[in-house]
Amino acid sequence: MALNTSAEAPVPVGEISRLIGGWIDRLGAVWVEGQITQLSRRPGAGVVFLTLRDPSYDISIGVTCFRQVFDAVADVVGEGARVVVHAKPEWYAPRGQLSLRAAEIRPVGVGELLARLEMLKKALAAEGLFAAGRKKPLPFLPQLIGLVCGRASAAERDVLENARHRWPAVRFEVRNVPVQGVHAVPQVVQAVKELDAIEEVDVIIVARGGGSVEDLLPFSDEQLVRAVAECRTPVVSAIGHEPDNPLLDFVADLRASTPTDAAKRVVPDVGEEAERVRMLRDRGRRCVDALVAREERGLAHALARPAMEDPHRMVDERADHVASLVDRSRRTLGHLLDRADSELTHTHARVVALSPAATLKRGYAVLQKDDGQVVRDPGDVEPGEALRARVAEGEFTVRADG
């Protein structure tokens, strides 16, 4: 319950410490898992002091236990070991210090660790963190490579030397961090996030030269796995440990078997690329030569055709044909005109022969009255009536008699 205090009525430090101790005493014993970072076993002392740290976070707590409790596991437990402790929280009022009083310490075995990792692996896989669709492709030629590794380690040397041997112009942004122990996870996570925040970094390599299952536990930590999954930059896992794969291998965009393999797969070989360029250039030249040769053969074949050898030949042949058709058309038209002229002459002769003028030339005359009516019947003429007689050479007037 909250205390009623004020500046005029404060609570003494001793009272606060006593109250905190009372609240902590109400807590029961708990099972706590962590990694031993400091171990103090003074000769002759009946109490052993150790510090238990959370491998994933920068949090630790002091633990005390009687010597016989620790002696039961002293042969298999030391600094850096992961343990499970059954302890009760205690509050040391004079110093205002919280600690755990351990009644039992159990080492976490490899089999148990692997079982936990398998459960974590399944849970993360169910979230889709290991899905192939999330993998980002690596750039063909990275200009700046981020490297997370141990200080002055063989992994760092292998990556740098092999990468620069393959492509001398490649540049690195190196972050040296602990790669095992209680400080590994937070510092590796921080290094990965720092490199991912640098725009110029094209790919990040997390490298370590192998080790035991316990040594590689930081690279299976859930916090590191999620940090890598959130990276916008492609991440390469180069943990040189073939029998067991840390969870980093599954979330990374590329898994390399060793740091040397990571350098070979991230950085192209300048000699190989130069040879590939030469081969492609030769292949392109051959393709162009073959294309030109094929077109030259086609052109020669086209030029060998008669129409190309003597372009005017076809025109001359067509000109002769046109001249022949013109002559034929002229002859045909002449025949038609001659026949038409003959028919016209014949028709003209017939018309002339049958015309009134021809009849008049044979001595006949046409009699017409004054109104121009032709006299066909003698009964149509009155005695003494004047008529106009038309003959071949003209006309004259006659008068009917009787």
Side-chain angles (χ1 to χ4, degrees), residues 179-226:
V179 291
Q180 70 181 57
V182 295
H183 301 288
V185 173
Q187 294 197 32
V188 171
V189 170
Q190 180 182 358
V192 169
K193 290 182 177 179
E194 287 180 2
L195 293 174
D196 185 53
I198 300 175
E199 294 290 338
E200 292 77 12
V201 173
D202 298 317
V203 63
I204 300 173
I205 300 177
V206 181
R208 177 193 161 91
S212 64
V213 175
E214 293 87 347
D215 292 339
L216 299 181
L217 284 177
F219 299 98
S220 293
D221 189 87
E222 181 178 0
Q223 184 182 1
L224 176 59
V225 171
R226 294 189 181 279

Side-chain angles (χ1 to χ4, degrees), residues 129 134 136 192-193 196 223-233 235 251:
L129 267 63
R134 299 183 72 259
K136 295 178 285 295
V192 169
K193 290 182 177 179
D196 185 53
Q223 184 182 1
L224 176 59
V225 171
R226 294 189 181 279
V228 171
E230 294 173 358
C231 285
R232 62 165 185 82
T233 309
V235 178
V251 73

Side-chain angles (χ1 to χ4, degrees), residues 92-112:
Y92 186 59
R95 293 185 182 177
Q97 183 177 358
L98 176 67
S99 64
L100 298 176
R101 170 70 70 171
E104 183 181 356
I105 299 176
R106 295 182 184 180
V108 178
V110 174
E112 186 176 355

Side-chain angles (χ1 to χ4, degrees), residues 364-370 373 375 381-391 394-402:
Y364 293 93
V366 178
L367 298 177
Q368 294 176 313
K369 293 184 177 184
D370 291 338
Q373 181 181 359
V375 178
V381 179
E382 296 293 333
E385 183 179 357
L387 300 174
R388 185 171 67 251
R390 184 176 179 183
V391 295
E395 59 181 27
F396 55 87
T397 302
V398 296
R399 190 175 299 278
D401 185 14

Side-chain angles (χ1 to χ4, degrees), residues 40-314:
S40 176
R41 300 174 62 190
R42 297 186 180 91
V47 178
V48 176
F49 298 90
L50 53 94
T51 300
L52 203 62
R53 185 184 185 89
D54 189 325
S56 300
Y57 301 94
D58 192 12
I59 300 175
S60 60
I61 189 171
V63 179
T64 61
C65 65
F66 291 111
R67 191 175 192 87
Q68 57 269 28
V69 174
F70 187 82
D71 287 345
V73 293
D75 295 337
V76 294
V77 169
E79 289 191 5
R82 294 175 72 104
V83 295
V84 175
V85 177
H86 188 238
K88 186 178 185 305
E90 287 186 345
W91 179 257
Y92 186 59
R95 293 185 182 177
Q97 183 177 358
L98 176 67
S99 64
L100 298 176
R101 170 70 70 171
E104 183 181 356
I105 299 176
R106 295 182 184 180
V108 178
V110 174
E112 186 176 355
L113 288 175
L114 294 178
R116 294 183 182 180
L117 290 181
E118 187 63 26
M119 293 178 60
L120 178 60
K121 176 182 175 182
K122 292 181 179 179
L124 296 176
E127 293 184 29
L129 267 63
F130 304 155
R134 299 183 72 259
K135 307 293 184 183
K136 295 178 285 295
L138 269 63
F140 168 70
L141 180 59
Q143 301 299 312
L144 182 62
I145 300 175
L147 177 59
V148 180
C149 59
R151 185 178 301 277
S153 61
E156 179 181 7
R157 183 180 63 254
D158 291 344
V159 173
L160 296 180
E161 290 182 356
N162 283 278
R164 287 167 178 164
H165 176 73
R166 292 172 64 83
W167 199 276
V170 69
R171 297 181 296 118
F172 280 90
E173 185 73 23
V174 181
R175 294 291 186 274
N176 294 122
V177 296
V179 291
Q180 70 181 57
V182 295
H183 301 288
V185 173
Q187 294 197 32
V188 171
V189 170
Q190 180 182 358
V192 169
K193 290 182 177 179
E194 287 180 2
L195 293 174
D196 185 53
I198 300 175
E199 294 290 338
E200 292 77 12
V201 173
D202 298 317
V203 63
I204 300 173
I205 300 177
V206 181
R208 177 193 161 91
S212 64
V213 175
E214 293 87 347
D215 292 339
L216 299 181
L217 284 177
F219 299 98
S220 293
D221 189 87
E222 181 178 0
Q223 184 182 1
L224 176 59
V225 171
R226 294 189 181 279
V228 171
E230 294 173 358
C231 285
R232 62 165 185 82
T233 309
V235 178
V236 178
S237 174
I239 310 302
H241 190 66
E242 287 294 341
D244 300 304
N245 298 107
L247 298 185
L248 178 64
D249 288 347
F250 298 97
V251 73
D253 299 292
L254 175 68
R255 177 191 179 270
S257 57
T258 62
T260 300
D261 181 51
K264 293 180 179 180
R265 300 182 70 175
V266 171
V267 181
D269 185 85
V270 64
E272 294 177 0
E273 296 305 321
E275 179 64 18
R276 183 176 291 109
V277 170
R278 186 191 63 78
M279 293 176 60
L280 291 174
R281 184 172 58 244
D282 293 343
R283 180 181 177 185
R285 184 182 293 110
R286 289 194 299 271
C287 291
V288 172
D289 291 343
L291 177 62
V292 172
R294 183 170 67 248
E295 296 301 324
E296 286 180 344
R297 289 193 300 270
L299 181 59
H301 179 71
L303 292 175
R305 294 180 179 179
M308 297 299 295
E309 288 183 345
D310 185 7
H312 297 286
R313 179 178 178 180
M314 183 181 295

